[in-house]
Amino acid sequence: MKTKGKYIFFDIECSNGHNICSFGYAIISEKLRVLLKQDLIINPESKFILAPKGKRPKMELAYPEELFFKQDNFTCFYNDIKKLLSEESYILIGHSIQSDFHFLRYACQRYNLPFFDMQGYDMQKIYHKEYNTPHVESLEKIIEHLEIDDSKLTFHRSCDDALATFYVARGICKDKDITLDELLARNPDCLSKTSTIFAEKEEKQTHKKNLKKVQKNS
């Protein structure tokens, strides 16, 4: 009998901080087996800006720049990504997942596509809470702290970062002697919902605009 996926770990890379250039994911079974790993390489239709001008790049690309520009843009991947992330039978998990939600929303706005509601757990925040670290850590640092073998991973390749996030989740569960469902259940405040995130953002922006009007007229 084929094992059905239960969790989707996903990651997004951008060319310049907001234009998506890759979307990677790993589908994981209830028994924490990797069922599928895939990387969607996307034409960002923008220049790559990996670090402030004049400084050594902070991020190494997983593929040559020219490969990205040979691909289709986000609109050609929209339906597949939406179907994957909207499937209610899956639990979404990412590293700094709110950032990925913002990238997706920006892409939808950029290409005049309907945005869609999602919710998912942030493994970066869960690690921060479980180990009481002074601040949130990068994925590479967390992998190092948990002594996870990353020899077969290429960081900043979206599908590998998604897989690395899964390894982090599995590593925490092993260290704490709990299941992944138990780990998520005891960290409900690490669940992010797009409906809440962007409603709060719009409310703050409206409040800021109204405040400026009041100050201008006073």
Side-chain angles (χ1 to χ4, degrees), residues 29-218:
S29 74
E30 189 171 3
K31 294 182 179 179
L32 302 189
R33 293 174 183 164
V34 180
L35 302 180
L36 176 67
K37 183 183 84 166
Q38 188 174 13
D39 207 17
L40 305 178
I41 307 174
I42 300 169
N43 186 342
E45 297 189 310
S46 64
K47 288 183 179 181
F48 280 87
I49 304 174
L50 307 178
K53 189 176 179 181
K55 294 186 178 181
R56 185 177 177 180
K58 293 181 179 179
M59 186 185 87
E60 296 292 333
L61 293 174
Y63 309 99
E65 283 190 29
E66 56 268 23
L67 181 61
F68 291 95
F69 295 119
K70 291 178 181 179
Q71 311 305 311
D72 294 321
N73 67 23
F74 179 78
T75 60
C76 297
F77 299 95
Y78 169 79
N79 286 331
D80 289 339
I81 292 173
K82 179 182 177 182
K83 183 178 179 180
L84 186 74
L85 299 184
S86 300
E87 176 55 62
E88 292 183 0
S89 63
Y90 287 125
I91 297 173
L92 303 184
I93 303 173
H95 178 89
S96 186
I97 200 168
Q98 285 196 21
S99 296
D100 292 326
F101 288 160
H102 277 88
F103 298 150
L104 287 167
R105 186 173 187 248
Y106 182 85
C108 289
Q109 291 175 334
R110 182 186 184 195
Y111 293 105
N112 296 313
L113 297 166
F115 188 57
F116 48 96
D117 283 337
M118 296 166 282
Q119 64 176 30
Y121 288 90
D122 191 332
M123 197 51 58
Q124 184 185 47
K125 290 182 178 178
I126 289 176
Y127 175 84
H128 171 59
K129 280 190 62 187
E130 289 289 330
Y131 292 90
N132 195 29
T133 58
H135 50 76
V136 293
E137 299 279 5
S138 68
L139 184 56
E140 292 95 325
K141 282 289 185 183
I142 295 174
I143 288 284
E144 182 182 339
H145 291 166
L146 291 174
E147 298 182 342
I148 294 170
D149 179 15
D150 63 357
S151 59
K152 294 182 180 180
L153 297 173
T154 300
F155 287 109
H156 302 300
R157 177 182 291 160
S158 291
C159 60
D160 280 6
D161 280 359
L163 198 59
T165 305
F166 163 60
Y167 290 161
V168 167
R170 189 175 64 180
I172 296 173
C173 291
K174 183 179 179 180
D175 189 34
K176 303 291 183 178
D177 193 25
I178 56 175
T179 67
L180 181 50
D181 283 347
E182 288 171 339
L183 177 64
L184 300 178
R186 75 188 201 182
N187 288 284
D189 54 333
C190 295
L191 176 67
S192 294
K193 300 180 181 181
T194 55
S195 57
T196 303
I197 296 167
F198 298 118
E200 290 176 350
K201 184 178 180 181
E202 289 173 4
E203 186 179 339
K204 286 180 181 178
Q205 288 175 339
T206 301
H207 176 73
K208 191 175 181 180
K209 286 179 181 178
N210 290 338
L211 186 61
K212 283 184 177 180
K213 287 181 181 178
V214 171
Q215 290 174 340
K216 186 178 179 180
N217 296 327
S218 60

